[in-house]
Amino acid sequence: MEVNSQTVFMTKIKVAILLISPGKAGVESVIGNILRYFESDKVELYLINSTEIAPYYTSLIPKERHLILGRYFNQPKNKYLRFILFHLKNKLKFNEIKLGKWSGKVTRFLDKHSIKIIHAHLVWDYWIASKIKETRPDIKYINTMHGTLSLDPADNYFPYFERKTVLRFLSNADAFTSACRYFINLLEIWKIPVRSYAIIGNGIDKSISEKVQPKSNHGEVKICFMGGGRPDQKGGDILLHALSILIETYKIQNFKLLVYGNTNTNPQEKELTQNFNLESFIEWRGFVEPPHHLKGMEESDIFVLPSRHEGVANTLMEAIGMEMAIIATNVGGTSEVIVDGLNGLLCYPDAKDLAAKLAQLISDPLLQQKISIENRLIKQNYYWETICKEYEKFYLSDFLK
């Protein structure tokens, strides 16, 4: 009997990543790396985003799989005009009208390409994905939690929509992903139905982590602090106070703090520097376009993350990839990545405790080396190639079919 062999073509699962964003930051870098490293013969990625962030991705995804919705964040430079415009938009519901129109545009794109899964990352994405889900239950809505969205009482972050509106968005999600269990716990506290979820870490660029060079600072310990984002969240004031304690109480002065980020948005840090007489101990490097900020890590001995609130910071993952000795506050999801005394030191978001950990690490080069070696061993678990395989597995899960 003759058997005809036929090639079987398997239909790929199609996933549309949705990202409405004013510009490149942590979340946007995560999406860029997913697009850069995702390889699958079973899943095909599409991208939907706003004009402001679209140029960052044009080389990472074919034009026919990329929908650019238009401009959303028209912000005047004058702060008073920004304030007036913000309140006018809220009163006239201008942004909701625009997002409503975009939800229709997104739906047509999904139908055109037979896409049944939409993956939202920021709160404006949640609005669109939730709106679509309410009228199209056949579309699966994945929500990635990148922030607290005002769900943590200790975090005063305003997520651009009222809490009750955000809770409605989240309640419509079919599944969640997060870099840490901390965000899933917040959902459960607010009684959001978590029907399915996956903890998928933020990744590390293998090519960058392979360029790690041994430190040689001739007795001066360099400390790296990435102060971008929200100043009240990142805890730069806690760090500066800790440095003054380090000098006054522990009599340690053989250090230099390298500060990255736009400090013009937080003049308090410059004022504290003068009040604590720290000018000679600090270099203000300013904003540096990624990945050039990694040069600061490369030349530093210690990476410090003094945040009051945090999920899993991209800079923390980069510090692991650069095999750095790490001190971080035990908040949010940080302790899910850093094991105290093993691949870093954890402290309270308190200047005295941070100063004690800085004194311990600065005074003990062997401890610095031990933490560095541990991060060298674990960083391969977070390479983007591995992380993208976890996303592929989640997209193919039975729950999303």
Side-chain angles (χ1 to χ4, degrees), residues 44-246:
E44 187 170 67
L45 298 183
Y46 290 71
L47 179 64
I48 303 169
N49 54 22
S50 55
T51 299
E52 291 88 347
I53 193 65
Y56 175 52
Y57 303 110
T58 51
S59 64
L60 300 176
I61 193 163
K63 185 177 180 180
E64 63 273 13
R65 302 210 313 261
H66 189 189
L67 173 63
I68 302 173
L69 293 167
R71 189 168 293 277
Y72 184 84
F73 304 92
N74 293 305
Q75 295 285 10
K77 293 183 178 181
N78 184 284
K79 66 178 181 179
Y80 299 107
L81 287 177
R82 286 201 303 270
F83 178 80
I84 293 170
L85 185 62
F86 175 79
H87 285 280
L88 277 175
K89 283 183 174 181
N90 280 340
K91 186 174 182 179
L92 300 174
K93 297 188 181 298
F94 175 80
N95 288 337
E96 292 187 24
I97 292 171
K98 175 172 280 191
L99 290 174
K101 291 180 178 179
W102 281 3
S103 66
K105 195 173 182 179
V106 171
T107 301
R108 290 190 291 273
F109 182 79
L110 299 179
D111 289 341
K112 177 183 176 181
H113 296 281
S114 301
I115 301 169
K116 293 297 183 181
I117 299 175
I118 187 167
H119 189 169
H121 288 265
L122 293 177
V123 68
W124 305 279
D125 316 335
Y126 303 167
W127 198 104
I128 292 175
S130 180
K131 186 74 173 178
I132 292 172
K133 183 65 183 180
E134 287 172 355
T135 57
R136 290 287 302 274
D138 59 309
I139 302 294
K140 296 292 186 180
Y141 161 26
I142 301 173
N143 184 308
T144 288
M145 297 289 293
H146 291 285
T148 65
L149 301 173
S150 80
L151 302 185
D152 188 337
D155 187 357
N156 62 358
Y157 173 69
F158 175 63
Y160 299 93
F161 295 97
E162 292 181 0
R163 181 179 288 155
K164 63 179 181 180
T165 304
V166 173
L167 292 174
R168 192 186 84 238
F169 298 163
L170 299 174
S171 295
N172 284 334
D174 292 295
F176 292 91
T177 69
S178 172
C180 54
R181 176 73 205 186
Y182 161 63
F183 288 139
I184 304 300
N185 290 341
L186 287 179
L187 295 174
E188 293 173 346
I189 288 171
W190 285 93
K191 300 189 184 306
I192 301 298
V194 181
R195 301 172 181 90
S196 178
Y197 75 91
I199 304 300
I200 303 177
N202 292 335
I204 294 171
D205 189 330
K206 182 179 179 181
S207 63
I208 292 174
S209 73
E210 287 176 342
K211 298 177 181 178
V212 177
Q213 300 294 324
K215 309 292 191 300
S216 178
N217 291 324
H218 307 290
E220 182 181 63
V221 177
K222 290 191 176 181
I223 305 167
C224 181
F225 169 56
M226 299 293 175
R230 295 158 47 212
D232 61 318
Q233 175 201 4
K234 291 300 180 182
D237 57 322
I238 296 174
L239 176 58
L240 294 172
H241 190 189
L243 294 182
S244 71
I245 296 172
L246 190 66

Side-chain angles (χ1 to χ4, degrees), residues 351-376:
K352 289 183 179 179
D353 198 25
L354 177 56
K357 295 299 169 67
L358 281 167
Q360 179 185 359
L361 200 52
I362 290 173
S363 303
D364 193 345
L366 289 179
L367 179 58
Q368 293 178 36
Q369 186 179 28
K370 173 180 174 289
I371 293 173
S372 176
I373 291 171
E374 190 62 33
N375 281 323
R376 184 185 308 160

Side-chain angles (χ1 to χ4, degrees), residues 303-352:
F303 172 81
V304 62
L305 184 71
S307 303
R308 288 182 171 88
H309 319 286
E310 200 66 73
V312 176
N314 284 344
T315 53
L316 179 62
M317 302 309 300
E318 290 167 341
I320 292 173
M322 299 295 287
E323 301 173 12
M324 297 188 70
I326 295 169
I327 300 175
T329 47
N330 189 0
V331 298
T334 299
S335 62
E336 298 178 44
V337 176
I338 299 297
V339 178
D340 189 30
L342 188 63
N343 68 321
L345 300 181
L346 293 175
C347 65
Y348 296 108
D350 169 82
K352 289 183 179 179

